[in-house]
Amino acid sequence: MAATAKKRELDFSAFPPGAVTEYSTLLCLACIFDIFTKQLGLAPRTAYSEIKRHSPGIEELTAPAASRPYFDSEEKNPRCPYCDAAKRWHARLDTYRIEGGKSTDAARRALLKTLPKADEQFQIHEAKSDRRALLFEWLDTMGRNFDFEDDRWLVEAARAYLERIEPKTDWSEVFKDLRAVRRSQRLEEGWERDGDRLYLAPALYNDALLVQYLVSRSHKHGGRTFEGRLTLMELVRRMRYSGHLDAQGITERDQFEVFEKLVEHLVGGEGAVKLYYVVDRRDFLEKVKTVYARYAT
Ligand SMILES: [Zn+2]
């Protein structure tokens, strides 16, 4: 009775925002069966057990652009871009990346305990990274998802940054019906909401500008920020005259060295980070079974 109504979604509510990144891709089983039976000459039964054991690599599962036999589609009834197979041949693979650390260790252990163990419905991979690489990945992901034609991305970028550094705050409440984000003239640190405006202390505001710059920069035109379009030189000059560089203890004169220091500050220090990838293979295992039944007859 309840077996068919089992809950599919994993619950990440115990994790701070930003600690879990979700990736989703489609795998064309028609393409895979084709490779195993036609190109490698395996009997369907052997192909089936090989495919069932298939453990997809993290790189394939999290790549920004998928390649055969993986593909991405937002459509309701997509067709495989390689072999035109219909939806019943596609398996969905969801991957969740959890950043290791004090704020997530307990929640992660609790979550992993709840996952079913049979048939490797879930596979866990561990990897090492560092804060700087994660920061730039985070910026890249934002840059791919923003609509730069619509200036609302500027506020979204500021919010994403605040969520990253202050994960415990309920930012959806703070940003509710917000009209503008401004540099505060009186706060020395932190932020405050006043009417429909959010005021950020200068240091926080400057960090938000830097995030916006990094997300939108292009070599020719600089980056876009709350303060308009800025080249690197303009951004550095603005931070110098506003006292931000002094406040951060940045004494370099060369703009590229200053930039490097500003990024370092945003990274929040050197440091290795352990990453845990949870791969949800449930849909894959079910689809492989039904596809094989179809294939073998
Ligand atoms: Zn295909």
Side-chain angles (χ1 to χ4, degrees):
M1 8 161 244
T4 48
K6 69 182 170 203
K7 220 169 138 223
R8 302 291 298 197
E9 299 297 317
L10 302 185
D11 181 8
F12 288 102
S13 57
F15 291 86
V20 181
T21 313
E22 188 180 338
Y23 306 86
S24 191
T25 191
L26 295 165
L27 173 62
C28 177
L29 295 171
C31 279
I32 292 218
F33 267 97
D34 197 59
I35 292 166
F36 276 88
T37 55
K38 295 208 178 110
Q39 295 184 25
L40 302 174
L42 298 180
R45 172 81 224 169
T46 320
Y48 169 63
S49 50
E50 285 295 320
I51 291 165
K52 219 171 57 161
R53 275 210 301 267
H54 175 64
S55 163
I58 291 305
E59 267 173 39
E60 303 170 290
L61 293 174
T62 61
S67 57
R68 198 182 179 206
Y70 295 90
F71 67 98
D72 298 321
S73 176
E74 301 288 319
E75 281 171 53
K76 233 181 136 193
N77 289 297
R79 301 196 77 97
C80 169
Y82 316 110
C83 75
D84 204 39
K87 195 183 172 185
R88 62 173 183 274
W89 293 88
H90 310 158
R92 188 188 151 105
L93 284 156
D94 291 321
T95 305
Y96 305 90
R97 188 189 74 187
I98 303 169
E99 287 180 27
K102 257 188 263 156
S103 64
T104 58
D105 282 347
R108 188 191 73 251
R109 280 189 214 107
L111 173 76
L112 297 189
K113 251 187 233 160
T114 66
L115 301 180
K117 301 282 179 291
D119 295 329
E120 288 192 76
Q121 294 172 62
F122 289 91
Q123 285 178 337
I124 319 294
H125 300 258
E126 293 181 14
K128 280 194 188 115
S129 188
D130 59 69
R131 301 210 168 279
R132 190 186 171 92
L134 287 182
L135 174 79
F136 279 94
E137 250 175 59
W138 175 73
L139 293 165
D140 278 353
T141 307
M142 269 200 289
R144 273 196 304 275
N145 292 331
F146 283 152
D147 173 10
F148 289 109
E149 300 298 310
D150 180 344
D151 275 348
R152 269 179 301 189
W153 77 266
L154 289 162
V155 172
E156 287 168 32
R159 175 177 167 167
Y161 174 64
L162 293 166
E163 282 175 345
R164 192 179 167 87
I165 57 162
E166 247 188 73
K168 292 220 168 88
T169 301
D170 181 2
W171 292 105
S172 55
E173 192 55 40
V174 176
F175 276 79
K176 198 167 169 235
D177 302 321
L178 191 75
R179 304 286 294 261
V181 179
R182 297 269 186 269
R183 179 198 304 268
S184 171
Q185 305 294 340
R186 43 174 226 97
L187 289 178
E188 292 202 357
E189 56 179 49
W191 51 271
E192 68 180 353
R193 170 106 187 221
D194 187 3
D196 55 11
R197 293 184 174 180
L198 176 66
Y199 291 90
L200 304 181
L204 215 47
Y205 184 82
N206 279 320
D207 284 343
L209 296 186
L210 181 61
V211 166
Q212 291 166 340
Y213 173 86
L214 288 166
V215 168
S216 63
R217 69 179 160 168
S218 63
H219 294 295
K220 253 184 275 174
H221 308 296
R224 284 164 58 197
T225 69
F226 282 144
E227 308 280 311
R229 196 180 275 290
L230 301 174
T231 62
L232 178 59
M233 196 192 277
E234 288 162 344
L235 179 78
V236 167
R237 192 183 298 147
R238 192 170 283 265
M239 295 203 174
R240 190 181 305 285
Y241 293 136
S242 69
H244 185 65
L245 300 187
D246 283 341
Q248 306 291 337
I250 298 173
T251 53
E252 281 73 5
R253 302 303 302 175
D254 177 81
Q255 58 167 326
F256 295 103
E257 285 173 25
V258 171
F259 177 66
E260 207 33 58
K261 291 282 176 192
L262 287 169
V263 168
E264 249 173 53
H265 163 71
L266 212 53
V267 167
E270 297 291 305
V273 179
K274 200 152 180 197
L275 300 175
Y276 299 83
Y277 292 89
V278 178
V279 182
D280 183 347
R281 294 167 82 237
R282 290 175 295 178
D283 188 56
F284 168 73
L285 291 170
E286 281 165 23
K287 289 281 174 48
V288 170
K289 207 183 274 177
T290 55
V291 161
Y292 168 65
R294 209 179 283 271
Y295 215 89
T297 49

